[in-house]
Amino acid sequence: MPGVSRREVWAWSAFDFANSGYTTVVLTAVFNAYFVSVVAADAPWATFLWTLIIAVSNAVGIFVMPVVGAIADASAQKKRWLFGATAICILGTAGLAFCGPGTIVLAAVMVILSNLGYNVGETLNSAFLPEIARPEAVGKVSGWGWSFGYCGGLVTLGASLALVQLGGSWGLTMDERIAGTMLITALVFAVAAAPIFLFLKERAQPRASSLGALKSADGLWTLAGQSFREICSTLKSLGRFRDFAWLSLCGFLYQSGIAVVITLSAVYAAEVVGFTTVDTLMLVFLVNITAAVGAFGFGYLQDRIGHKRALGITLIVWVLMIVLAAMVVNRPVFWTAANLAGLAMGSSQSAGRAIVAILSPKTRSAEFFSFWNMALWLAAIVGPLAYGSVTWITNNDHRLAICVTGLFFAAAVLALIPVNLERGRRVAEETDAASRGTTSDH
């Protein structure tokens, strides 16, 4: 956008670099499998308990984020709230270093706090996208962020892999090495997140009609209530923003499947294919390279062929990945499926974020991104719980659970079909024009 420096775009992308290490190491490669096999002692309910903890953290986010989004929009202080969310995630991640066999309660609390901080931070960071990127380039800029983010995942994962492999020669037990990976993740997050707070400018303007509510506790409760009414209003107005509505449904469906891949891929690799911790770290390390290439390449591709078509392609890749994972009989097939997941991971999430930026009125960007992320958080509850429930009911039949996951991606393809980006863009522009022509917030 005019007036936005390259340094600001880099600083915005650096936050994706920072927080990707958290999802990669804590949720995908290390702590999820460690929780199931060590903290919960590989009990029959261990996988379900892990998915339940993730569900609780996302459920808390569903109630917290609308309030944070409303206050951030009203006060034009997204960075301040982003800083708080980042600090919570970093401290929660560091707290996981003190978890070990039997520390189920401590692990649950730290995962819930860290994942809540991650989710709130990701939402606020995404809300800056319409402020820094021109409408015709949001796919490219979003792709930069996602691809740079996977580079951050590679850095954090690479350092963790080195510690796990070399720690034995240093006299460290496996529990101590796992604890070290949590501290590495927290440190990388803290260092890499600094640029967004130092360089990115807050361009949003405070809402004059809501500023008074921020000055008292009663006013904050009023604004919180208003934020939930806005969500209800957004729900009621989805008839007008119907393309955003279909996109939200599509996002909910495919993110339900992605949430399973993020939170349970290491468990699947260990239980079905027999991967060790080192095997999983190596796999996720290489998959992150594939994901970075996919996010970067699709960022340009979606601006060229269209965001909807690009997203549709990635959803087909997800379906193919599920088929291979469900049929896996050896490691090469699983490696192929995992790299397909990496290719589709960043590109599908980047495309979704770019389309939200197109369909969101600029005067209500945090509200719309909050709604979008609420749909994704609901997906992060439904998807893993569906997987965990299947494994619990079927005495750990992970293949059947991954087949159920595939239904989410297939349904997402159908939900994408009615989305019309040009129509949705016009509605967003008309909403902005109406907002500028009145004294009300909307």
Side-chain angles (χ1 to χ4, degrees), residues 45 122 139 221 232 262-263 360 385 395 397 415 441:
W45 39 262
E122 178 65 23
W221 280 112
C232 293
I262 291 174
T263 58
S360 300
L385 275 181
N395 195 25
D397 188 340
D441 287 344

Side-chain angles (χ1 to χ4, degrees), residues 1 3-13 144 199 203:
M1 295 290 282
V4 177
S5 66
R6 291 181 180 272
R7 184 174 68 174
E8 289 185 85
V9 177
W10 170 80
W12 177 82
S13 298
W144 290 346
F199 303 124
R203 289 177 168 79

